[in-house]
Amino acid sequence: MTADASIPETAELPPKDCWHLLRGDSVGRLAVWVNDHPEIFPINYKVDHESLVFRTGAGTKLASALGKQVALEADGADTDKGVAWSVIVKGQATALNRTPEVMDTLGQLLFPWETGRKDHFIRIVPESISGRRFKIAAPLTWGGPLDEATRAGLE
């Protein structure tokens, strides 16, 4: 892994860059509120104009997302350049009911990884999108032991 000196430690990304990164990826985590607690579901998605579309089956994910505010996070890394990114989209999840919309989505090759019936197409229309790009810390710093002051604060 080599670090690019031209990349700042952390940089906020403009929406245009966030959409570019989302278009280059297809796996994210969908955060929803279920009863009295948050839940996170892995999903595969596609960007459709400036919204995100995914397929799901009946169940907790669908019931907790449909018609409600959700968040989706996608991340990626270029380990050769020593850079990672994270994008968060927040918005309302709505069902795609019209046949032309669903067929257009199918045309984007939106096929879930997990087997089973996934006949619900959901669109997330963003109310906000934010992202950041950052240098990846050297691996030796990832799992270092806690110093005594930090350990005392956690106990």
Side-chain angles (χ1 to χ4, degrees):
M1 173 170 54
T2 61
D4 184 341
S6 68
I7 298 169
E9 290 295 320
T10 301
E12 298 295 320
L13 298 173
K16 177 183 159 199
D17 291 354
C18 292
W19 285 113
H20 175 75
L21 290 166
L22 288 170
R23 280 184 181 90
D25 201 21
S26 65
V27 177
R29 287 156 304 286
L30 180 72
V32 298
W33 195 258
V34 178
N35 298 324
D36 62 350
H37 62 279
E39 288 284 344
I40 299 174
F41 297 93
I43 63 168
N44 61 307
Y45 66 87
K46 288 288 183 182
V47 174
D48 182 30
H49 299 95
E50 288 196 352
S51 68
L52 301 173
V53 179
F54 67 95
R55 289 174 62 177
T56 190
T60 303
K61 182 186 341 170
L62 178 65
S64 300
L66 203 53
K68 299 183 180 104
Q69 295 293 314
V70 299
L72 177 129
E73 180 183 35
D75 305 295
D78 182 338
T79 55
D80 291 336
K81 292 183 179 177
V83 178
W85 59 270
S86 180
V87 172
I88 297 175
V89 174
K90 297 176 186 174
Q92 180 114 2
T94 58
L96 294 177
N97 293 320
R98 293 177 295 192
T99 302
E101 278 187 291
V102 173
M103 294 310 292
D104 187 39
T105 300
L106 280 171
Q108 296 181 42
L109 301 176
L110 180 58
F111 298 107
W113 288 356
E114 186 180 19
T115 60
R117 290 188 65 147
K118 309 285 183 189
D119 23 349
H120 297 276
F121 289 73
I122 308 299
R123 179 183 306 278
I124 301 171
V125 178
E127 293 174 8
S128 70
I129 183 168
S130 60
R132 63 189 192 111
R133 179 176 284 123
F134 51 93
K135 287 185 181 180
I136 299 172
L140 293 177
T141 66
W142 295 353
L146 297 176
D147 63 22
E148 291 305 312
T150 303
R151 186 181 322 282
L154 295 174
E155 294 175 347

